[in-house]
Amino acid sequence: MDAFYASAELLRYPQLKGLPVIIGGGRRAEDEALKARYGDRLDEIPPEAFPQLKDYVGRGVITTATYPARAFGVGSAMGMMKAAKLCPQAILLPVDFARYRHFSRQFKAIITAMAPQMEDRGVDEVYIDFTHVEGGQDDHGRSLALRMQAAIHAATGLTCSVGVAPNKQLAKMASEFNKPNGVSIVLESDLQTMIWPLACRKINGVGPKADAKLQALGISTLGDLAAKDLPWLVEHFGRSYGAWLHASSWGRDNRPVVTESEPVSMSRETTFDRDLHAVRDKAELGAIFTELCQMVAADLQRKGYVGRTIGIKLRYPDFRIATRDHSLPLYTQDAAAIRHAAGQCLKRAPLDQRLRLLGVRVGGLLPLEQALAQGLVGDWQAMRQALRQAQSRPAIAEHKADPYTLPLFGDLD
């Protein structure tokens, strides 16, 4: 999807089309004031009434930006304070993940109705196998791609760019050629003319470190990479990665389109506008901590999973990261059980410094139906009962040493 989050926002703020717009952070006082003043008449808010990036103070990062904003050099994952120096006049809007998930479900339903072999790659990206779709090979797939684009736009008002190629690696690269709302076709015969002139970073899997090493070795483009033989690449990059680089430069990718895959974990995290202290900011941290647990629980419930390993992630002002895990006796998607288990993790983490980021993760996932069939699912009360039985302490609920009753960042009860 093209600038997905930003495009979803422009549907309700059409007056901002053509302007530099940044999406990032939660709702702020300025956003609430506009909502209170205009109610549902969002399209009547004058552009000059919106908060501007130049007035932002904090450490939030950009989630996405409109194409006019990107022209100034700003983009996703960039700190908003840094972006304000590049594009101070940009309009700043809060993130609304519920809205984006709604549109995500819509466009994916349209795609699977036309081409059932779809691999879900996140909220705004999919791979589709056209091979056995009626008309899928007409005009090298362009006809079907255009029909999909038209159907998605008619239903959602959003645009998408499509790359059609013999495999996933080339299709991913092709999808970037003609944005927004474009269709790009890459055939095997186009490798030298369309792929080899590209920078190595255009391969999904070549990061900054690998690219820096390639550059140091005199390799800037995929054509340069393809000119190196396999033994040379293996010598410099190792057997596995070297072989992958060689195959990728020659447009080879045998990965199938995977229509079903089980998630390994689900998580939620947030970076604070200011560093928070575990004691002095206990109430604020407690509310955020509980909300993160509730959000993860809602994600599990919506997607039909339960988990048994609860984890936390802490980032300190010096950017060091600490993680801790806690295993439950049963699988759960219950917010209270997740909250208490996450609290156990916090008790084993260093809290003598202020915190920059806090995250909650649930791992060891099973589909809810599978776990229910095996009798492995429990809510908070069932979890406490299982703990009593495991420790053979009938009065554990009142025992001061009960780890599930000690509050941290405020008491959930």
Side-chain angles (χ1 to χ4, degrees):
M1 301 298 288
D2 297 322
F4 182 48
Y5 295 174
S7 298
E9 294 296 343
L10 293 180
L11 288 178
R12 58 180 169 190
Y13 301 118
Q15 66 273 40
L16 301 183
K17 288 182 178 179
L19 299 177
V21 177
I22 299 295
I23 315 293
R27 293 187 65 82
R28 293 163 282 269
E30 300 94 324
D31 304 309
E32 297 297 343
L34 288 175
K35 176 66 175 177
R37 181 176 179 183
Y38 289 91
D40 294 331
R41 299 175 289 110
L42 301 178
D43 58 340
E44 297 180 12
I45 304 174
E48 60 270 17
F50 288 90
Q52 290 189 326
L53 191 58
K54 65 181 177 62
D55 299 317
Y56 176 81
V57 177
R59 292 186 313 218
V61 297
I62 295 174
T63 301
T64 193
T66 59
Y67 289 108
R70 296 181 189 186
F72 288 86
V74 304
S76 59
M78 177 182 289
M80 288 196 281
M81 293 287 284
K82 178 181 179 180
K85 297 178 181 179
L86 299 173
C87 188
Q89 73 275 28
I91 290 169
L92 180 58
L93 297 177
V95 176
D96 185 351
F97 288 114
R99 179 176 177 83
Y100 313 145
R101 285 192 292 266
H102 167 75
F103 282 117
S104 179
R105 289 191 291 268
Q106 271 192 300
F107 91 77
K108 290 171 185 175
I110 292 167
I111 288 174
T112 52
M114 301 176 72
Q117 292 291 106
M118 184 193 80
E119 179 176 335
D120 194 331
R121 295 296 297 172
V123 70
D124 65 344
E125 182 178 271
V126 299
Y127 287 113
I128 311 156
D129 189 343
F130 285 7
T131 306
H132 303 294
V133 177
E134 184 177 355
Q137 302 304 310
D138 295 348
D139 194 20
H140 301 298
R142 185 181 299 275
S143 298
L144 180 57
L146 290 171
R147 291 202 302 272
M148 283 186 174
Q149 285 182 319
I152 290 170
H153 186 265
T156 67
L158 300 171
T159 65
C160 61
S161 297
V162 182
V164 184
N167 58 55
K168 290 160 69 171
Q169 184 78 275
L170 292 177
K172 170 68 174 175
M173 299 170 73
S175 69
E176 302 289 332
F177 287 169
N178 194 17
K179 282 181 171 289
N181 201 32
V183 174
S184 300
I185 310 294
V186 175
L187 306 177
E188 290 183 2
S189 57
D190 296 323
L191 184 67
Q192 294 185 30
T193 58
M194 297 180 68
I195 302 301
W196 281 1
L198 299 176
C200 295
R201 282 297 303 272
K202 292 296 183 180
I203 300 180
N204 189 26
V206 174
K209 291 183 179 180
D211 186 54
K213 184 174 181 178
L214 287 166
Q215 295 276 357
L217 293 168
I219 301 173
S220 299
T221 68
L222 291 173
D224 296 336
L225 187 59
K228 298 296 183 180
D229 59 30
L230 179 58
W232 188 91
L233 288 171
V234 169
E235 177 186 351
H236 287 83
F237 292 92
R239 184 172 59 183
S240 178
Y241 194 64
W244 178 83
L245 284 172
H246 186 264
S248 296
S249 68
W250 283 91
R252 299 170 188 149
D253 181 11
N254 296 322
R255 294 174 299 159
V257 170
V258 180
T259 58
E260 294 184 7
S261 61
E262 300 291 348
V264 176
S265 65
M266 295 186 193
S267 63
R268 291 282 189 149
E269 63 181 42
T270 185
T271 299
F272 310 129
D273 288 336
R274 62 180 180 87
D275 296 338
L276 298 178
H277 193 277
V279 176
R280 290 187 287 275
D281 299 302
K282 178 179 177 180
E284 185 176 355
L285 275 170
I288 295 170
F289 189 45
T290 298
E291 183 180 14
L292 289 172
C293 294
Q294 291 170 341
M295 292 168 70
V296 173
D299 292 340
L300 291 165
Q301 293 161 18
R302 185 177 63 257
K303 297 181 180 181
Y305 285 90
V306 288
R308 188 170 171 230
T309 303
I310 314 301
I312 62 158
K313 175 182 176 181
L314 305 176
R315 180 176 291 148
Y316 302 101
D318 59 3
F319 287 89
R320 288 186 304 107
I321 292 175
T323 60
R324 298 292 187 274
D325 291 330
H326 181 82
S327 295
L328 295 170
L330 295 170
Y331 290 82
T332 193
Q333 55 178 211
D334 180 68
I338 294 170
R339 168 63 172 79
H340 281 81
Q344 299 312 296
C345 299
L346 279 171
K347 292 170 188 171
R348 295 185 285 108
L351 295 175
D352 54 333
Q353 294 187 55
R354 290 181 176 273
L355 301 176
R356 179 185 178 92
L357 172 146
L358 177 62
V360 177
R361 179 183 60 84
V362 179
L365 302 185
L366 281 180
L368 176 60
E369 291 185 1
Q370 178 181 337
L372 283 171
Q374 299 178 47
L376 299 176
V377 179
D379 58 12
W380 171 228
Q381 295 303 323
M383 215 70 69
R384 290 167 66 90
Q385 180 61 34
L387 187 64
R388 290 191 188 98
Q389 294 174 352
Q391 297 186 355
S392 301
R393 292 194 295 156
I396 192 170
E398 290 77 33
H399 197 285
K400 290 184 178 180
D402 176 8
Y404 287 89
T405 61
L406 292 175
L408 198 65
F409 289 168
D411 196 348
L412 183 64
D413 302 328

